Amino acid sequence: MKLAADEQAMLDGKQGKAKQKAMDLLVRYGEALGAERFVDTNNVCGTVGASTPFLREYSSRHGGMDAVFSEFNLDSAEVVEIPKVSVYSSHLQQGIDPEHAERQGIAVEIVNFHRKGEAYAAGLGLQMLNTCAPYTVGNVPALGEHCAWMESSAVIYINSVLGARTNAEGRESAGCAMLTGKIPYWGYHIDENRLGTHHVELGIEVESTADWGLLGYYIGEVVQDRVPVITGVKHAPDLARLKHFGAAAASSGGVEMYHLVGITPEAPTLEAAFGRKQPVMRFSYGKAERRKAYERANVTAKNPNVDFIMLGCPHYTLEQIGDVCRLLEGKRVHENSELWIFTPRQTKLLADQKGYSKIIADAGAHLMSDTCSALGRVIPKGTKVAAADSAKQSHYLPAIMGIECWFGTTADCVDAALTGRWSGGLE
Ligand code: F3S
């Protein structure tokens, strides 16, 4: 790679050992990817904590959190002192919600360790947003801004909806970008790679959030990691719909970028979305495709008795919490079921102020933050059958936790929480 003077200086160790190690890793990473240079970034979203049992043990055996950062963010067996981050950096979701640890079956020692890890990351200068939807709580990159973000649902959102530029980074590259403000210039940082590859024509109206999830789930499976361009959208989707669409497309495939013609910023027209390229494939999405996606999202579900309902994947917005409250108010969650709703901790504060948290608690449900069931592996003890209004969660929960999972609308899920039984279906 061709290095600028400041990059060479970091690689030569003129700004300390940690930045030298970070630059060394980024050069190896960039060369493996065929990148010719770096691009500056002032917006990194990643993880530096130690919330898994393995990392906790590693930290205890090797002398603390600098050892974890050295090994797992810098790829260095030598423990180096980690300086404060050089650029704006925010932290993704973690493994537990310390405020609901007991309900999530997390021991006190783990919570104490977790809090130390949080203090460490905050001390390095990270903004502890602790969410997979940082763009809902203040980290909103600008059009064209070069970023280095982890988390597939967030990557696809900022690339496509905001027109920011990032690849799906890993813990290592994001950690190194925090210290150096550099990331290899490749993939979705480059104009040409952002152009569409597949043309998807909608033959039906896509309305609800669940429907947008189904559309994403279908498209992701067809296009895998390419760039779909969607035409025929009748009503511009809101943030929640776009959030569910992207998360689903990124989980059934590896989509990191899409265009909605006339809606997303890099696709004012079909021609602009494809540039000089011709689509490699055209397909339409109608009733039959919607049904197929629904059946795929429900492939593990058989038993109608639902033990656990998970809402908030990706983490819910305040408006989504409000929607659930309107369905829950004055009612009680069934004695055989649990309803957990996940949201960023900042949004939870707003939910407290608005009275939503009380409505949820009065109904016997729980508003949680910082983590989620699939990522943190946190579900009520004994759960065999879950339900979710997120195609991403219904994709991962059975695979990660070995349980069944129904997928449906938010109303279907709340109904399951109130009755203990699944009676959703495709309208
Ligand atoms: Fe977020 Fe967990 Fe879903 S991290 S996107 S709620 S799988």
Side-chain angles (χ1 to χ4, degrees), residues 93 131-133 151-154 247 310 312-315 342 371-376 390 392-393 396:
Q93 71 281 354
T131 176
C132 51
E151 172 50 44
S152 63
S153 69
M310 188 281 182
C313 170
H315 282 174
F342 292 85
T371 188
C372 82
S373 294
L375 183 107
S390 158
K392 175 170 179 174
Q393 194 70 197
Y396 285 122

Side-chain angles (χ1 to χ4, degrees), residues 200-204 206 212 215 219 230-234 284-285:
V200 189
E201 292 171 271
L202 297 190
I204 51 173
V206 180
W212 276 93
L215 177 65
I219 289 177
I230 297 125
T231 53
V233 179
K234 294 256 173 14
S284 55
Y285 179 84

Side-chain angles (χ1 to χ4, degrees), residues 342-356:
F342 292 85
T343 193
R345 59 168 74 166
Q346 297 86 340
T347 307
K348 185 168 177 304
L349 277 178
L350 296 174
D352 292 348
Q353 287 169 0
K354 232 173 143 46
Y356 289 158

